[in-house]
Amino acid sequence: MKQPRKRSMTGTSLGLLRTLSLATLVLSTSFGAHADLAEVKSKGFLSVATEDDYAPFNYIVDGKPEGFHKELLEDLKAYAKTQNIDVKQDILPWTGLLASVSSGQYDVAFTGALVTDERLRVFNFAPPFASAQHFYVKRADDKRLSDIASLCGKTVGVQAGSALLARLPELKKMMKDKGCEMGKVVEYPSYPEIYADLANGRLDYAVNALISVNDLVKTRGDTFAKGIAVSGAGFAAWPVPKNSPELLTFLSGFMDQIRANGRLAALQTKWFGEAFPDMPKEPITNVEQFHTLAGMK
């Protein structure tokens, strides 16, 4: 079988190459018209933007969509049909996807977007469907690293401009509480480069989001091992423009349904390696709420 064409979770984080400048999003929002649920019902369909190059969320195998969102899209279509709404999907590259939603070209980004302070100034997020907590990764044969104290003074690799880098101060505080300090931080443009340097000993450890780490260890467990959490909670969720509150309620209802009938847990286990029963059950709509839920207070 042809290998899936994808942006491997072992090669990128939930944050890297998945951040758009606030200025771009604000500009798009300022000039776009957004459809709330009444407008969606009036036009007869919900327009969702997805990707085809971000496994295990959305990717292509032998020319056909695959992944967590491909399966969940069928559930969303059935849920929408109960309100006489069709769902129309367009597959876009990640670059520009959030801007297309913020400008009103699409109603929702149905993909693995990370909740961040910056994005919350433009979007509300439906209740999270997966954890994006940060974990450290080490070489599988490295017996030196275990707890937080063992990371002190060691060299860490992280993606430049990513949500992972933005939350590194949490790890610094954990180390300070242990009476030690963080070592050298090396920023990279992409995770393949980070993992290459980690494998050959140029780095002592790397920091990435949970699903990325699970995928890495699943595919390259002979080389890498998962460490412990090095941040508070993080969340992957669907962004909805700020001025579409009824649509946010609609998607929250959908999450309530698939959570209650077990479908969400089943797909989480299948695609992410574990279920996340303790995810917040309410939408995330502001920075203060996000910080409280993530333990960043």
Side-chain angles (χ1 to χ4, degrees):
M1 176 181 288
K2 178 182 176 183
Q3 290 299 309
R5 180 174 65 85
K6 63 181 181 179
R7 181 188 303 127
S8 170
M9 290 293 286
T10 64
T12 59
S13 72
L14 290 172
L16 182 64
L17 295 179
R18 311 189 61 72
T19 55
L20 290 173
S21 72
L22 181 60
T24 299
L25 291 176
V26 169
L27 184 64
S28 299
T29 303
S30 299
F31 291 96
H34 301 96
D36 207 354
L37 193 60
E39 290 87 341
V40 167
K41 289 182 175 180
S42 177
K43 68 181 180 180
F45 65 91
L46 176 74
S47 61
V48 302
T50 65
E51 303 173 70
D52 67 353
D53 202 18
Y54 190 39
F57 298 100
N58 319 79
Y59 61 101
I60 300 295
V61 178
D62 294 334
K64 297 180 179 179
E66 189 56 276
F68 174 83
H69 281 99
K70 179 262 182 181
E71 292 202 49
L72 198 58
L73 184 64
E74 297 308 310
D75 296 81
L76 179 61
K77 288 179 178 179
Y79 180 78
K81 186 65 72 175
T82 65
Q83 300 193 34
N84 298 315
I85 300 171
D86 290 328
V87 176
K88 292 189 178 181
Q89 173 196 22
D90 276 345
I91 298 175
L92 308 178
W94 171 257
T95 305
L97 189 150
L98 291 189
S100 295
V101 176
S102 70
S103 68
Q105 292 177 257
Y106 297 93
D107 300 317
V108 61
F110 199 62
T111 191
L114 194 69
V115 179
T116 68
D117 290 5
E118 183 176 85
R119 290 172 184 166
L120 278 165
R121 295 183 176 95
V122 177
F123 299 105
N124 293 321
F125 284 83
F129 60 80
S131 170
Q133 188 171 24
H134 304 172
F135 282 71
Y136 85 81
V137 180
K138 65 176 184 176
R139 289 182 295 280
D141 61 357
D142 190 344
K143 307 301 182 184
R144 302 171 303 156
L145 305 185
S146 55
D147 57 6
I148 295 297
S150 70
L151 302 178
C152 294
K154 304 296 193 302
T155 301
V156 57
V158 68
Q159 194 165 36
S162 68
L164 288 299
L165 181 65
R167 293 186 65 178
L168 212 56
E170 293 176 63
L171 177 55
K172 291 180 181 179
K173 184 180 184 301
M174 292 178 190
M175 291 179 174
K176 184 177 180 180
D177 291 343
K178 297 295 183 181
C180 57
E181 295 182 353
M182 180 172 286
K184 183 179 180 181
V185 178
V186 184
E187 298 180 28
Y188 291 79
S190 69
Y191 269 84
E193 295 165 277
I194 292 175
Y195 292 140
D197 276 4
L198 178 58
N200 64 32
R202 292 192 180 96
L203 297 172
D204 294 304
Y205 67 104
V207 173
N208 207 338
L210 174 61
I211 294 172
S212 303
V213 173
N214 285 348
D215 189 67
L216 174 69
V217 173
K218 178 181 178 180
T219 57
R220 301 182 65 187
D222 57 335
T223 304
F224 300 109
K226 178 181 177 181
I228 62 174
V230 293
S231 79
F235 311 107
W238 305 314
V240 179
K242 285 285 187 187
N243 52 354
S244 299
E246 294 174 357
L247 181 55
L248 185 67
T249 299
F250 170 83
L251 291 170
S252 298
F254 172 60
M255 284 292 294
D256 288 342
Q257 181 184 88
I258 60 175
R259 192 186 301 111
N261 66 19
R263 177 66 166 166
L264 180 61
L267 291 180
Q268 288 170 335
T269 302
K270 176 179 178 178
W271 292 105
F272 305 147
E274 60 183 282
F276 304 109
D278 298 325
M279 286 288 94
K281 295 177 175 57
E282 69 273 16
I284 300 177
T285 60
N286 61 74
V287 171
E288 182 178 7
Q289 178 197 17
F290 169 48
H291 283 198
T292 298
L293 292 170
M296 296 167 65
K297 288 291 187 181

